[in-house]
Amino acid sequence: MPDSSQPLRRLGFLTIGLFDPAHPAAGHETTLGIIELGEQLGFDSAWLRHRHLQFGISSPVAVMAAATQRTSRIELGTAVTPLGAENPLRLAEDLATVDVLSGGRIQSGFSTGTPMHFDDYKDALYPGTWQLEDLGYDRLLRLRGFLRGDTVTDFSGREGIEEYSSRVEPHAPGLAERIWYGAGSLRSARWAGENGFRLLTSSVVVAENGSDFAANQAAQIEAYRAAHPDAGAARVSQGLVVIPTDSATASQKSRYRDYVASRSGRVGVPQGPRGMLFAEDLIGPADEIAARLYDDAGFRLVDEVAFALPFSFEPDDYLQILTDLAGALGPALGWRPAA
């Protein structure tokens, strides 16, 4: 439980990987460069958002595969992949392949249920059969089983000159235990704990205990840990939008404040039919942000974070923010960069 005397153990960041649709290669190259920079700065992990039919990362597994060949230490994760748009068997093959290429560095985060804007592309994804798809929790349990090496088929052995396996190949030992679940409610947090998954909690939660974001997030973390069969393995990563300005130029500070102001109206006000609460974006010098985090009920319950980079900033902005996260805010929270 971090406080002013307990150090932050792991520091990561999350990016959406925006690109210009007329020049997508440049945007993806920028994302890979950000991951390389993160490793150089000593970050423990780099996480990729997953966006379908947008100008962001639509295939984080492919981006992670490229990143494995340009990094050697930093962990690579998804936060989160909506599993309702994936085939668990095929995804297991892709993830296992990339994990082998990375040397065991993949941290996969998932959500279940109906993906965002699913009605807009469900017929393209599952033509004529989308009503038959089970989009619930069992889909993630199937994926974990495939990654663990559960039997997929009774057929195996040699046929002519070809050899067949009864499980997903390649097998990536330990990958199944590195699955994170992106929970936003007490129910989903408890389910993640009961089933032994790691927990990703973000800057959006369901309002179930009043309209205070931090109180709702803390309640979900506590419910997760209480439900987990192995408290020592009950890892939780918190994701908030955090913008340290220690080395920012005057122009950057002005743009950053405008960005935060444009999103401030939704803070503390439940949104939509589920009553979603949004966390306040944190902006300012590292020491001020650190003090605010230590006052945050959710942060006090975790010792690892994956701070989210704002969606629409420029590459130079990300360079400044990542440098200040690693060089100023992380140390203010007791974190030390990886060698």
Side-chain angles (χ1 to χ4, degrees):
M1 182 185 301
D3 55 31
S4 58
S5 63
Q6 167 125 3
L8 181 68
R9 186 168 60 88
R10 299 179 64 79
L11 176 62
F13 65 90
L14 169 65
T15 180
I16 193 173
L18 291 181
F19 58 84
D20 181 342
H23 305 284
H28 285 78
E29 181 63 31
T30 295
T31 297
L32 292 171
I34 287 172
I35 296 172
E36 288 182 281
L37 173 64
E39 176 159 284
Q40 294 164 11
L41 292 171
F43 279 88
D44 298 293
S45 58
W47 300 78
L48 306 177
R49 291 190 186 273
H50 198 160
R51 289 293 187 264
H52 291 297
L53 304 178
Q54 293 181 249
F55 305 117
I57 297 171
S58 63
S59 181
V61 175
V63 175
M64 289 192 300
T68 67
Q69 305 306 292
R70 296 168 61 157
T71 58
S72 61
R73 177 198 53 78
I74 194 169
E75 293 180 345
L76 305 166
T78 60
V80 290
T81 288
L83 200 51
E86 305 289 336
N87 180 298
L89 175 60
R90 279 290 302 113
L91 182 59
E93 292 178 322
D94 288 346
L95 286 171
T97 300
V98 177
D99 193 53
V100 168
L101 290 171
S102 76
R105 291 186 279 141
I106 300 304
Q107 306 279 334
S108 299
F110 299 99
S111 65
T112 58
T114 304
M116 184 170 60
H117 293 292
F118 183 67
D119 285 345
D120 297 325
Y121 64 88
K122 63 188 180 186
D123 289 317
L125 183 63
Y126 303 118
T129 63
W130 61 265
Q131 303 96 324
L132 305 177
E133 292 291 331
D134 178 6
L135 304 181
Y137 291 143
D138 284 350
R139 202 175 187 90
L140 184 55
L141 296 177
R142 286 175 55 210
L143 174 65
R144 181 169 65 179
F146 294 144
L147 293 175
R148 280 178 170 169
D150 287 359
T151 298
V152 175
T153 173
D154 292 334
F155 175 72
S156 63
R158 183 172 293 276
E159 183 179 69
I161 62 172
E162 297 191 59
E163 192 78 20
Y164 290 86
S165 173
S166 62
R167 68 179 185 183
V168 164
E169 299 293 349
H171 179 63
L175 179 57
E177 279 60 60
R178 283 180 261 124
I179 294 177
W180 298 73
Y181 188 71
S185 67
L186 284 168
R187 175 175 175 263
S188 58
R190 288 193 188 99
W191 181 84
E194 290 167 353
N195 288 277
F197 293 106
R198 297 171 179 178
L199 179 68
L200 288 170
T201 181
S202 72
S203 57
V204 186
V205 300
V206 178
E208 296 171 292
N209 290 283
S211 58
D212 181 87
F213 175 89
N216 279 273
Q217 189 170 65
Q220 292 174 16
I221 295 171
E222 289 172 338
Y224 163 76
R225 288 212 167 102
H228 201 290
D230 181 1
R235 288 177 58 179
V236 183
S237 180
Q238 183 191 42
L240 301 174
V241 176
V242 174
I243 309 174
T245 58
D246 298 75
S247 68
T249 65
S251 174
Q252 285 175 318
K253 290 177 183 178
S254 177
R255 286 189 289 104
Y256 296 170
R257 292 191 186 102
D258 288 344
Y259 173 84
V260 170
S262 72
R263 290 155 50 92
S264 62
R266 63 185 186 173
V267 175
V269 182
Q271 305 285 319
R274 296 189 66 197
M276 306 303 293
L277 286 172
F278 290 83
E280 182 180 3
D281 298 338
L282 303 182
I283 182 172
D287 57 349
E288 293 181 8
I289 293 177
R292 294 178 67 183
L293 286 170
Y294 284 131
D295 285 337
D296 183 284
F299 180 81
R300 291 198 301 268
L301 292 175
V302 303
D303 61 4
E304 56 187 293
V305 295
F307 290 137
L309 297 176
F311 280 12
S312 55
F313 285 11
E314 297 298 322
D316 285 348
D317 300 335
Y318 295 138
L319 170 62
Q320 177 267 312
I321 292 171
L322 287 174
T323 300
D324 282 354
L325 284 174
L329 181 57
L333 297 171
W335 173 81
R336 293 293 177 267

